Amino acid sequence: MTTEKMGFEAEVSRLLHMMVHSVYSDREIFLRELISNASDACDKLRYEGLTNGELLKDNGEFAIDINLDKENKTLTISDNGIGMNREDLISHLGTIARSGTSAFMENLSGDDKKDANLIGQFGVGFYSVFMIADKVEVLSKKAGENQAYLWASDGIGEYTISDAEKDTNGTQITLHIKKDADEFLEVLRLKNIIKTYSDHITLPITLISKNEDKDAEEKENSERVNDGTALWARSKSDISEEQYKEFYHHVAHAFDDPATTIHYRAEGKIEYTVLLFIPSQQPMDLFDPARKPKVKLYVKRVFITEDCEDLLPGYLRFMRGVVDSEDLPLNISREMLQNNPVMTSIRNAVTKRILTELEKKAKKDAEGYNEFWNSFGSVLKEGVYEDFSRRDQILKMARFESTADNGLTGLDDYLSRMNKDQDTIYYVTADSLAAAKRSPQLEGFKAKDIEVLYFTDPVDEFWLQMVPEFEGKKFGSVTRGAAELDDKEKNKKKKSKPELDALIAVLKTNLGESVKDVRPSNRLTDSAVCLVADDDDMDMHMERILKMHNKLDGAASARVLEINADNDLIKALSKQATKDGSVDTLKEASQILLDQARIMEGDLPEDPVGFASRLSNMMASSFK
Ligand code: ADP
Ligand code: MG
C-alpha cells in the first residue's frame, strides 16, 4: 500500500493554524459543517442517480450515522453519499476552492480574537474540525468507482493519502477529539448540537454510542436524533426564528442572518412550497458573470438541483432558499426543466410574491428596505430592462440619492416634490456619489432649487436607454442638451452681450473640432466652464463606460463647452476678446479652459503634458 505525503496549499495551512489555535467559543459548529457536507453528498448522489441508476444499485436509504467511541475518544461521521476519489480529496480538502472560505481569509486581521469571530460569520467548512480534533481521518469511496482512499492529517502542514479498503460508497470521517474538547464525547451534548443546527436535515441522523452499562443486553445505543421533516413542509407556527436562521445558514452556505424570510404554500392548479430568504449581506458570487439564481429546487421533499436557471429571473439571484414542487416528476432531468410550463408558472408566481414582499417592506420598514436596496438594488434594477412586464413596478421600487440630501428616495417621492411647472425628472450620472455631487452642471439646478437624482450605478445608464419616462415625466440628464433653467427674458439679456459673443467667437476659432459648440451657460453659477453633451449625442458618462469596456466604435463625440457669463475669469477674458489680435493672445487660455472643463468631468486633458506647460507659463507670467 502506498502512502503519499502532501503539503496543504499555503492558504489552507494558514487557516488550519488558526483552527488548531482557535479561541473561537462556538467550536460546536464543526458538527453542523460535517453533517451539512454529508447531506450535500447524499443529495449529489441522488441527483446523479436520476440519470445513472447504476450508481444507486447497492446504496440503500441515504443516511448519516454518528458513532461515538468514548473509550478511544473518537467521533465518526459516516454517509453513503457521492464520496470522494483521490483527486477529489486533494482538491476539496487540500486547497481553498470555496468562495466562503476565501472570503473568510481575505477578512483576516491578524488579531486572534477578532478573527475568531469571523469563523462564525463566514464558516470554514470542513477545516473547522481542527478546532476540536488533533487528528482527522477521512475514508472515502466515490460512487461508481472501486478504489477507496484514506486521507489523514493532524492539521499541521501536511496530510497523507493512501489506498484503502471500504465496502460501500460514501465518506467516513473519524475525529480524534482533543483533550480540551471532551465535551463532544457526551451523548447529551451531541444530541443537543444536532437538534440545534441540523434538525431540518431530511436524512435520518442516527447517534450510535457504546452502552455504558456493560451488563446490558444491547451493546450499543442507537437513536435517531433529528426531526427530519423538511423545515419548509412544517407549518410556520411550529418554526422558531432560530430554526429559520439555521436553515438559512445551511441552504445558503451563508453565515449572516436572513434579512427577510418568505415562507408559504401555494395551493391550486399548481402546488408548491416556498421558503426563501433575502440575505442581509451580499453573497460573494453576486456579481459572477453567470448571474445564475441559487434557489434549490425540490420535488416532493427530494432535492433535485440548485442549478436551475428557470426557477427565478437573474435579477433575483440574491435570493436563497428552497422551492418544493408537488407537480413535477421526481426523475426530472435538467433538460426537462427548461421551458417546462410548471416551472414557468412557478417562476412567475414566486417572482411576483418576492416583489410584493419587498414593496411591503418598503412601506412598513423604510430603513430596512434601504439596507436591502444598498446591498441588492443594483441587481434588482437589472429587472427594469430585463423584465418588460414588471418594468414600472421595479422602477417604483428603485431608490436613489439626490441633491435633496435626504438619503435614498424613490421616483414617486421625487415626483411629489417636483416644482409645479417641471416636466422632467433630472438626473446626473457618475461613477460615484462623490463624483456626482461634484458635477459643475448641478450648480444652476441647485440655485433654482430643482432636485436632481444621482445615478451612480453603471446599470443606470442601461435602463435609462430603454425607459424614456416615468409616470408621464421624461428623464433628463443635466449634462446633456440645453438646460431650461432660465426664463426667456434673462436669456435675451445674456445673448445681447457683445463681449461675451466675442469670447465665444474666439473660443470657437481656437478650439475648432475639439468642441461641438460654445455657448453661454445657464446651468453654472460658480464654475467658469463645463462640458455638456448635445441633445442628440450620447450622454458623457455613458460614453465613458463604453470606452472603458472597449465598446465604442470610433472617436468620442465632441462636446458643447458652456461658459458662465457671471464668472470673473470669463468676464476678464471677454473683455480681452474684444481687443485686436485676441484670437492669438487667448490661444493658450482657450485650451486651458477646455482642459479645465475636462478635468472637472474626471477626464484627462487631451494633451496632459501640453496642459502642464501651458499652466506653468501662465503661472510664471502672473508672478513676474
Ligand atoms: P463546502 O461544503 O462549502 O463546499 P467544505 O469545506 O465544507 O466546503 O467542504 C469542501 C468540499 O469537500 C465540499 O464541497 C465537497 O466537495 C467535499 N466534501 C466534504 N465532505 C464531503 C463528504 N462527506 N462527501 C463528499 N464530499 C465531501
Ligand atoms: Mg460544507
Side-chain angles (χ1 to χ4, degrees), residues 223-242:
E223 187 185 350
R224 162 142 191 193
V225 185
N226 62 324
D227 178 304
T229 41
L231 189 79
W232 61 90
R234 296 188 211 165
S235 87
K236 261 176 152 166
S237 52
D238 293 343
I239 307 173
S240 69
E241 187 132 345
E242 205 50 40

Side-chain angles (χ1 to χ4, degrees), residues 40 49 256 280 297 323 468 472 554:
D40 287 349
D256 55 331
S280 52
L297 175 69
V323 173

Side-chain angles (χ1 to χ4, degrees), residues 196-215:
T196 310
Y197 294 102
S198 312
D199 207 29
H200 55 83
I201 299 279
T202 40
L203 311 175
I205 303 173
T206 309
L207 183 60
I208 304 155
S209 57
K210 282 219 179 89
N211 203 329
E212 280 171 33
D213 175 3
K214 292 219 169 59
D215 303 328

Side-chain angles (χ1 to χ4, degrees), residues 37-38 41 44 79 82-84 92-93 98 125-126 171 253:
N37 286 349
K44 273 183 211 158
D79 65 68
I82 188 93
M84 287 176 276
H92 298 333
L93 306 186
R98 222 166 63 98
F126 170 80
T171 302
H253 283 225

Side-chain angles (χ1 to χ4, degrees), residues 6 60 91 102 109 329 335 455 511:
M6 301 197 172
S91 76
S102 329
S109 65
E335 293 70 42
F455 287 174
L511 297 175

